[in-house]
Amino acid sequence: MILAVIARDLRLALRRRADLAAVLFFFVIVVSLFPLGVGPEPERLREIAPGVLWVAALLATLLSLPRLFADDFRDGTLEQLALAPLPLGLTVFAKVLAHWLVCGVPLAVLSPLLGLQFGLSGEALVVLSGALFIGTPALSGIGAIGAALTLGVRGGGVLVSLLILPLYTPVLIFGAGAVDAAVNGIGVEAHLSLLAALTLAGVFFAPWPAAAALRIALE
Amino acid sequence: MIVDFVRITDSAVYHDVHRLYDPQGDSLFSKARMLRSSIMLAVSALECHRGGRRLFAGVGFCLGAGELLYLHGPNGAGKTSLLRMLCGLLPPAAGEICWHGRPIARLGEEYRRELCFLGHHDAIKEELTPFENLSLSARLAGMRLDEARVLEALSRLGLAGREDLPCRALSRGQKRRAALSRLAIDRRPLWLLDEPFTALDAAAVNEVAALIGAHLEDGGLAVLTTHQPVEITAGAIQRLALGDEAESCRR
Amino acid sequence: MSHRPFHWYRYASPQAFYPLAGRMIPWFWALAAIFGVAGLSVGFLIAPGDAQQGEGYRIIFLHVPASWMSMFLYLVMAFWAGLGLAFRFRLSSMMASALAPTGAMFAFLSLWTGALWGKPMWGAWWVWDARLTSELILLFLYLGFIALQAAIDDPRRADQAGAILALVGVVNIPIIYFSVKWWNTLHQGSSLNLARSSMATTMLYGMLLCALACWMYAIAISLMRARRIMLEREKDTLWVRKELGF
Amino acid sequence: MYWNNLSDFLAMGSHGPYVWGCFVVMAAAMILEPALLRRSRKRLLERLRRQYRAEALDGKAARESSGECP
C-alpha cells in the first residue's frame, strides 16, 4: 500500500516536470549568485562553499514543501488518503519518501557540479554529495510537519520557512560541518554519523506529528 | 479458496469472510454478507459546532443492512459536517458513532476499511487519466483489480472512449462520473455520499441510482445528501432533516 | 507557573477560571515587585564587584533570569499546549497562547542583555557562541508559534496546530542546543552550575531572587492575557455578558 | 552597601552604559507589556459592550434557550 502511494506521487511529479525543474534551477541560481556577491578569489570561495551549498539546498527543499500536500488538499484526494485503511503516518512517510526522491536526490546529484564553481577538491565533492544524500531526507521529513501545519492557511508559504528553518539548524550544522571537515582534510565520519542519526529521526518520527497536523487540517 | 468454517461472532464473521475471499468471487461474497443481518451504524446524540455556533444537537439514528438514510436540509444546515463526522474526519462536539456496536474513534483503520466516502470534491487528480485514478483508488481501498474490471466500471459510467485522456481535458460532468466510477467497483458496506448527483445528466443519475440500489440489495448501507428528488428502488429508506426543517433545538 | 488549581475539574472551564485568575493576579504582581526589589538591591547594591569583570558582571542579574524564563516558559507552554491537544481542554490551550508572547519577550531580553554583556567582555555585540545562538533559535520558535496561531482563524485549529508545533519544538530544543554547542564551544560554560558555583553566595541569592521576580511577573502577565483571550473567544456566551453586566 | 557614593554607582566602573542599557530595556519591557495588554483589554471590553448593547437594542437578547454554548 505504501508503494502505491509512493508510485502515485512519483507519477504525479513526473507529469509535472516543470515544478521539479524549478526547484533545481532555484538551487543552481542561488549557488551561482554567491561568487558574484563574494568575489572570485578561489581561497575564500572554497571556504564558504559548504555553507552556501547547504543553505541553498535547504531553501530549495523549503520551496518545494507546500507542493507536498497542497494540491491533494485542494482537489480532495488528501481526504481519500486519510480514509485509506493505512495509518496516516505511513501515508505521510510514503509522501516524504516520494518528495525526497523527487527533490532531495536531484540536489545531491547536482551539487558536485556546482561544487566545481567553488573550486572544491574531488574528495570534498564526494563528501558534499554524500552528505546531501544523507541529509535531504531529514529536510523532507521535518519539512512535512511545516507543510501540514500551514495547509490551507493564508500566507502559508512564508509561514513554513519561519516554522521549519529553526528546526533545520542541526541538519545544516552537521551537513555543512561534514563538507567543511572534508575541505580541511579532517575526519568526516563524526559529522556524517550524526547527520545520519538526524535523518533517521527525521524520517521515522516526523511523519506522526505531520499526520496529526493533517488530521486537524482536514477537520 | 473454499471457506472451511465461518466463525459466527458478532463483528468477526464479516471480516473473516472478507479476508478469506478474493473480492472477485462476487456471488459467494455477497451471500456471506446476507448472513450478517445485524451490520449496524448507530449514532447517538450527535452535536456539531462551527464558528462558535451550534449547527445541530441531539441527532441520532440507526442504520441496518440494506438501509438508506436521506439527509436533507437547507444549505449550511450541517449535512456535510454530519457526513464528515460519520467517516471520522471531523470529531463530534458531543455524542457517539458506533459501528458494530464499537465507537469508530477506537476502530481506526478497521472502520476505514468498511467505508467509502465521496465528498464535494471529485478526489481525482487532473494530471492522471480516469483509468489511473480509478485503479489508484481501488489499490488504496485495498483491492487488487485487473484491467478489465476497471475498464468495465468506467464504461458503465459512460466514460468508454475517454479512459486515457488526462482528467484535465474532461468536462465537469465527466470528472464527476470518473469520481463516481469508484462506486462501480466498491465492495465496502458503508457508503457516505455527499450530493453525488450534482453536475450529472439524467443518464448518469439513473446509473448512479442503480449502483446505489444494487449496493443496498447487496446488504450495504448508504447515507446520502442530495437536493434533487431521486428514486432509489431497493432498500428501506429513512429520512433525517437538519437545520430549520428539523425541530432540533437552535441555540 | 505550573500551579494546578486544587479542584481541577471545577476550574477547568473558562467561566469558573476567569474570576479566580482575576483574584490571583494582584497577588502575583505584589510578589513580583517584592522579589524584584529584593533581587535588584542584592544584585546591584550589596553584591561585591567581580575580580576580572569589574562591575559589568551585574548584567547577569538580568541576563540569566531572562534566559531561564525564556527556556522555562517554552516548556510550560508546550505542557499546556500538549494537555490542550490531548484532552481538548480549551482552557489549557488558551494558557499556552497566553504564555507565548511573554516567552518571546524574555528570549529577546536575554539576547539583548547577552549582547550588552558580551560587548565589554568579549569586545563584540554579537558572538556566535552556543548559548546565545540557541537562544536566538528559541526566539524564532516562539515567533513561529505566535505567527502560526495568528495565521489560522479558527481558534480550535489554531490551538491544536500551535500545540503540535510547540511539542515538536520542545523535542528539538535539546538537539538544537547540543548541535550548536558541538559546533562552537566559545561560551564560558553555564554561569550557574550549582555543583561548583564560581560565584559568591550573595550573587547567587541575587540571581535567584531576580529569577523569582521574573517568574511571578510571567504568571501575572500570562494570567491577564489568558483572561483577555477567554473574553475574546467566549464572547458569544452568557457568562461573558454577565461579566460585562448585560 | 557596596558603593560609597552615587556617582560610582552610576558609573559602574566604566561599564555603566552597558549595565544601565540592559536595566532600562528590561524595565521598559516589563512595564510596556502590561500596559499594552491593559489597553488592548480595555478596547476589547468596549467593543464587546457595544456589540451587546446593539444586540440588546434589537431584541436578540431574548434568547429562548438558556444553555450557554459550552
Side-chain angles (χ1 to χ4, degrees):
Chain A
M1 188 82 79
I2 294 178
L3 291 179
V5 178
I6 295 178
R8 165 189 181 274
D9 267 31
L10 290 182
R11 182 180 299 162
L12 278 173
L14 292 181
R15 289 284 161 81
R16 279 203 310 272
R17 268 186 214 81
D19 290 1
L20 211 58
V23 170
L24 295 184
F25 286 144
F26 173 83
F27 180 62
V28 169
I29 291 165
V30 164
V31 168
S32 323
L33 284 180
F34 272 86
L36 302 175
V38 168
E41 297 83 7
E43 193 43 51
R44 193 187 310 168
L45 284 185
R46 194 169 299 119
E47 207 181 296
I48 64 167
V52 162
L53 283 159
W54 261 92
V55 168
L58 227 65
L59 296 179
T61 314
L62 208 61
L63 198 67
S64 65
L65 277 181
R67 201 166 46 78
L68 197 58
F69 298 118
D71 305 333
D72 291 348
F73 180 70
R74 210 173 315 112
D75 57 28
T77 33
L78 195 60
E79 272 169 3
Q80 298 299 334
L81 281 174
L83 291 175
L86 180 74
L88 193 50
L90 288 183
T91 315
V92 171
F93 172 74
K95 285 185 85 69
V96 162
L97 230 56
H99 177 264
W100 173 62
L101 289 174
V102 160
C103 167
V105 168
L107 289 184
V109 166
L110 205 58
S111 56
L113 238 66
L114 297 171
L116 293 178
Q117 275 182 350
F118 289 75
L120 289 181
S121 67
E123 201 258 344
L125 289 178
V126 168
V127 168
L128 169 70
S129 171
L132 271 174
F133 206 78
I134 296 172
T136 38
L139 298 182
S140 300
I142 300 169
I145 299 178
L149 280 173
T150 57
L151 203 53
V153 167
R154 65 189 185 296
V158 179
L159 199 54
V160 173
S161 49
L162 181 60
L163 302 185
I164 288 306
L165 282 180
L167 305 178
Y168 271 175
T169 39
V171 179
L172 174 63
I173 286 172
F174 292 126
V179 186
D180 199 50
V183 166
N184 304 338
I186 48 180
V188 290
E189 290 69 24
H191 297 264
L192 290 183
S193 55
L194 284 167
L195 189 63
L198 278 178
T199 296
L200 287 179
V203 169
F204 287 110
F205 292 129
W208 305 105
L214 282 185
R215 221 167 268 298
I216 291 169
L218 286 170
E219 254 173 31
Chain B
M1 250 182 317
I2 299 299
V3 173
D4 42 22
F5 73 92
V6 177
R7 259 187 306 114
I8 311 287
T9 55
D10 183 44
S11 65
V13 73
Y14 175 69
H15 302 299
D16 295 356
V17 171
H18 180 79
R19 261 200 321 285
L20 290 177
Y21 260 76
D22 182 345
Q24 260 72 24
D26 270 355
S27 56
L28 196 55
F29 183 79
S30 56
K31 215 172 267 73
R33 272 167 55 171
M34 287 315 295
L35 202 113
R36 288 277 304 109
S37 64
S38 71
I39 299 178
M40 261 263 287
L41 173 67
V43 171
S44 53
L46 218 54
E47 198 172 314
C48 168
H49 294 197
R50 192 190 302 150
R53 272 183 339 96
R54 183 160 48 177
L55 283 184
F56 55 78
V59 167
F61 58 86
C62 280
L63 220 54
E67 285 181 354
L68 165 70
L69 176 71
Y70 259 129
L71 269 180
H72 43 80
N75 292 338
K79 300 195 294 295
T80 304
S81 305
L82 178 57
L83 269 182
R84 290 176 74 85
M85 280 185 194
L86 290 178
C87 61
L89 284 175
L90 176 64
E96 202 170 43
I97 302 168
C98 294
W99 175 253
H100 290 271
R102 284 186 301 169
I104 59 169
R106 256 196 298 285
L107 280 176
E109 286 117 55
E110 214 181 311
Y111 177 58
R112 295 206 295 265
R113 199 171 285 117
E114 313 275 288
L115 72 88
C116 165
F117 171 70
L118 196 63
H120 286 299
H121 300 291
D122 292 338
I124 51 169
K125 297 304 284 184
E126 300 274 315
E127 293 83 14
L128 299 179
T129 66
F131 179 83
E132 285 164 341
N133 271 307
L134 187 54
S135 46
L136 184 66
S137 59
R139 275 183 69 185
L140 279 182
M143 283 183 259
R144 279 272 173 283
L145 285 185
D146 54 25
E147 208 178 302
R149 280 182 58 75
V150 174
L151 290 175
E152 183 258 337
L154 286 175
S155 58
R156 191 166 173 187
L157 261 300
L159 293 168
R162 295 170 184 77
E163 290 88 353
D164 298 320
L165 267 169
C167 289
R168 252 197 322 277
L170 298 179
S171 75
R172 175 84 189 84
Q174 286 165 331
K175 281 186 193 147
R176 195 64 187 165
R177 286 164 177 254
L180 287 163
S181 62
R182 190 175 293 138
L183 298 181
I185 52 157
D186 199 289
R187 278 290 159 274
R188 289 174 285 193
L190 176 60
W191 283 5
L192 304 170
L193 309 172
D194 199 348
E195 288 172 21
F197 303 116
T198 51
L200 287 184
D201 54 29
V205 167
N206 299 338
E207 186 52 44
V208 172
L211 276 173
I212 296 174
H215 171 71
L216 294 174
E217 257 158 40
D218 211 4
L221 299 86
V223 180
L224 196 58
T225 62
T226 180
H227 290 298
Q228 299 115 320
V230 172
E231 262 325 300
I232 305 266
T233 51
I237 296 177
Q238 290 185 31
R239 290 184 186 284
L240 179 65
L242 287 179
D244 308 342
E245 295 160 21
E247 73 310 333
S248 70
C249 74
R250 299 273 307 133
R251 194 183 53 76
Chain C
M1 181 44 233
S2 63
H3 74 280
R4 187 177 300 283
F6 25 87
H7 306 302
W8 172 249
Y9 272 88
R10 199 153 68 80
Y11 289 108
S13 83
Q15 177 182 1
F17 187 74
Y18 185 84
L20 168 73
R23 283 197 301 276
M24 284 199 298
I25 287 175
W27 288 103
F28 283 116
W29 277 119
L31 280 173
I34 293 166
F35 284 128
V37 166
L40 289 177
S41 56
V42 165
F44 279 70
L45 300 178
I46 298 164
D50 183 69
Q52 319 98 344
Q53 296 181 11
E55 306 309 335
Y57 87 96
R58 293 182 193 282
I59 294 180
I60 57 166
F61 294 109
L62 302 174
H63 174 66
V64 170
S67 311
W68 276 353
M69 283 314 295
S70 66
M71 182 70 70
F72 180 64
L73 282 184
Y74 196 90
L75 297 179
V76 172
M77 182 176 86
F79 166 74
W80 284 119
L83 213 63
L85 185 65
F87 303 106
R88 290 196 192 289
F89 285 153
R90 287 194 331 286
L91 184 61
S92 42
S93 307
M94 289 183 198
M95 197 60 79
S97 315
L99 281 165
T102 308
M105 188 200 75
F106 274 123
F108 169 74
L109 285 179
S110 158
L111 287 173
W112 175 270
T113 50
L116 258 72
W117 187 20
K119 181 71 174 113
M121 301 310 151
W122 300 314
W125 287 109
W126 176 256
V127 168
W128 282 100
D129 90 282
R131 290 176 55 161
L132 279 182
T133 318
S134 35
E135 189 70 45
L136 181 67
I137 294 169
L138 183 62
L139 178 61
F140 291 151
L141 288 177
Y142 272 117
L143 295 180
F145 181 86
I146 296 168
L148 180 64
Q149 292 219 322
I152 300 175
D153 310 328
D154 165 33
R156 232 170 69 77
R157 183 182 168 196
D159 288 347
Q160 295 183 320
I164 290 178
L165 182 65
L167 291 173
V168 167
V170 159
V171 167
N172 273 291
I173 282 181
I175 301 174
I176 290 172
Y177 178 69
F178 285 115
S179 61
V180 168
K181 199 166 182 57
W182 196 79
W183 165 69
N184 172 343
T185 54
L186 187 62
H187 204 275
Q188 43 129 0
S190 112
S191 63
L192 184 75
N193 185 327
L194 291 183
R196 41 149 192 84
S197 160
S198 62
M199 299 158 37
T201 48
T202 47
M203 298 178 197
L204 190 60
Y205 284 129
M207 203 138 44
L208 289 183
L209 283 169
C210 287
L212 274 176
C214 291
W215 192 11
M216 293 304 133
Y217 165 83
I219 296 174
I221 197 82
S222 29
L223 283 182
M224 280 173 71
R225 188 173 293 117
R227 272 160 55 98
R228 188 197 168 287
I229 292 175
M230 276 180 229
L231 284 182
E232 177 109 41
R233 287 204 189 160
E234 311 264 317
K235 59 179 185 295
D236 298 330
T237 62
L238 282 169
W239 70 270
V240 172
R241 288 170 201 278
K242 270 203 286 302
E243 203 63 41
L244 268 63
F246 274 73
Chain D
M1 183 57 176
Y2 175 74
W3 309 96
N4 28 42
N5 60 45
L6 185 62
S7 64
D8 288 357
F9 176 64
L10 290 182
M12 276 288 176
S14 84
H15 292 150
Y18 303 115
V19 174
W20 297 116
C22 295
F23 185 82
V24 163
V25 166
M26 193 140 182
M30 288 175 126
I31 292 165
L32 213 60
E33 192 181 9
L36 281 176
L37 191 57
R38 202 166 288 123
R39 197 170 58 135
S40 85
R41 178 188 155 86
K42 196 153 44 65
R43 207 174 291 149
L44 172 71
L45 289 180
E46 276 158 26
R47 186 161 54 87
L48 288 185
R49 283 204 179 88
R50 231 177 294 121
Q51 177 193 336
Y52 295 149
R53 214 170 293 125
E55 276 170 13
L57 282 183
D58 53 34
K60 258 229 191 80
R63 280 179 192 288
E64 71 286 354
S65 76
S66 61
E68 41 92 18
C69 179

